[in-house]
Amino acid sequence: MSLGFIGLGVMGQPMALNLVRAGTPLVVWNRTPQRCAPLRAAGAEVAAGPAEVFERAGTVILMLADENAVDAVLGRGTPDFGALVAGRTVVHMGTTAPEYSRGLHDAVRGAGGRYVEAPVSGSRIPAEQGELVAMLAGDDDAVAAVRPLLAPMCREAFRCGPVPDALVMKLAVNLFLITQVTGLTEAFHFAGRHGLDQGLLRDVLDAGPMASAVSRMKAPKLLTRDFTVQAAAADVLKNNRLIADAARKAGLASPLLDVCHTLFTETVAQGHGHEDMVAVLHALETRTEDGAAPGCSGKTTPRTRKAEPTTRTR
């Protein structure tokens, strides 16, 4: 049978293209039909709807935006759900709350299907290059069957244990990513407002011990104010909230994440949600222009007080 793929967004489309280009028999569907055109041109079959994908595929990858999208595609809570997933393997590659994934795992298994968590670390460019890193959780036999299917999309895949440990691991990875990129953005803002050559800052960072694949990808965007999306600010805010919720439920402090939550809330509120996550620069610039600058001892202006509260209150 073919492999199914549902969800052809910023990440899903290049991931699916890598599968079909590697010779994987692929049947795809996306809510916005235009996103299917490159897949059809590359040789994939385009289904009329999710039910046709499950009818023709033994394993179906879901790369969907959120929990509501997953439930809608699977018909969860309706009689169609059991008929859809029975005898099939559902591979959840998006980012949702861990407890949601645990519940979906139980529902799929209860209906006679198999379930694998396989969230990935990486943004649009690694997705295009087949350089994502997958985190896998689920029953051993299901994970073993799914792992080779991911090879055209993922440079490495790590077994994380039972569901939902892969998603918890993804949240930990994203916590580091969010704070890292926010810190890098603030460093460029700091250097620029001091009249320093930001190109030189990039070169110094590239030559030093803090250099990473992320800094080498994001620093040029900051240097040229290129906000073309690789990982959208709105998606970063969603991930921030998921991490914060998981931290609160475990009784964990996350002070750096809380600051990032406020900054990305302001970024999205200013209309930059569909830009790359380095668009958090706009929030920093607004704070500086409003007077919340170094030396103000953390003072916030009326504009920042109107933003959504930090995740500590959530």
Side-chain angles (χ1 to χ4, degrees):
M1 300 182 74
S2 297
L3 176 65
F5 200 109
I6 296 176
L8 304 174
V10 171
M11 294 285 289
Q13 188 184 79
M15 291 166 66
L17 281 169
N18 283 330
L19 285 169
V20 72
R21 288 166 180 164
T24 305
L26 197 66
V27 55
V28 304
W29 181 80
N30 191 72
R31 184 179 59 180
T32 306
Q34 294 89 333
R35 300 289 297 177
C36 298
L39 273 299
R40 180 184 283 108
E45 298 292 327
V46 177
E52 184 181 346
V53 175
F54 277 88
E55 180 182 342
R56 297 172 59 183
T59 297
V60 179
I61 292 171
L62 305 179
M63 190 61 181
L64 296 164
D66 54 31
E67 299 164 4
N68 290 334
V70 174
D71 285 346
V73 161
L74 295 179
R76 194 171 175 202
T78 75
D80 296 333
F81 176 80
L84 209 65
V85 304
R88 300 291 187 265
T89 299
V90 176
V91 184
H92 175 33
M93 297 192 76
T95 304
T96 59
E99 60 269 24
Y100 169 83
S101 184
R102 183 189 288 115
L104 182 58
H105 163 264
D106 294 345
V108 170
R109 290 190 64 189
R114 301 199 298 179
Y115 180 84
V116 174
E117 266 183 1
V120 291
S121 178
S123 57
R124 178 177 57 83
I125 290 178
E128 291 172 349
Q129 296 171 343
E131 291 289 313
L132 298 170
V133 175
M135 291 147 276
L136 306 177
D139 295 339
D140 289 341
D141 57 344
V143 169
V146 165
R147 183 188 290 269
L149 300 176
L150 306 181
M153 301 180 289
C154 301
R155 173 169 46 86
E156 291 194 63
F158 293 90
R159 180 81 162 90
C160 295
V163 175
D165 284 0
L167 270 166
V168 176
M169 184 68 75
K170 171 66 186 292
L171 296 184
V173 170
N174 278 3
L175 195 160
F176 179 46
L177 172 67
I178 292 167
T179 55
Q180 179 188 29
V181 173
T182 304
L184 178 68
T185 303
E186 187 170 327
F188 268 80
H189 177 62
F190 176 87
R193 292 302 172 109
H194 276 86
L196 298 181
D197 181 345
Q198 291 180 320
L200 182 60
L201 171 62
R202 176 201 57 194
D203 295 342
V204 171
L205 289 172
D206 281 351
M210 287 85 73
S212 68
V214 171
S215 69
R216 290 192 170 110
M217 182 181 298
K218 298 301 186 185
K221 293 177 74 65
L222 288 163
L223 181 60
T224 61
R225 299 183 68 88
D226 171 18
F227 300 115
T228 305
V229 67
Q230 293 172 345
D235 292 334
V236 172
L237 179 57
K238 181 199 82 168
N239 277 268
N240 198 311
R241 288 170 173 157
L242 290 173
I243 302 164
D245 287 345
R248 299 298 172 263
K249 288 172 182 175
L252 304 176
S254 56
L256 294 179
L257 186 74
D258 292 347
V259 171
C260 293
H261 179 276
T262 302
L263 288 168
F264 276 96
T265 297
E266 293 169 12
T267 302
V268 172
Q270 291 171 19
H272 304 290
H274 295 292
E275 297 176 2
D276 189 72
M277 65 186 299
V278 296
V280 72
L281 178 63
H282 294 299
L284 295 170
E285 291 174 338
T286 297
R287 285 185 171 214
T288 294
E289 290 156 8
D290 284 353
C296 291
S297 302
K299 179 181 69 177
T300 56
T301 66
R303 181 178 301 191
T304 59
R305 285 200 297 268
K306 289 179 182 177
E308 182 174 332
T310 67
T311 50
R312 187 174 297 281
T313 63
R314 289 182 63 79

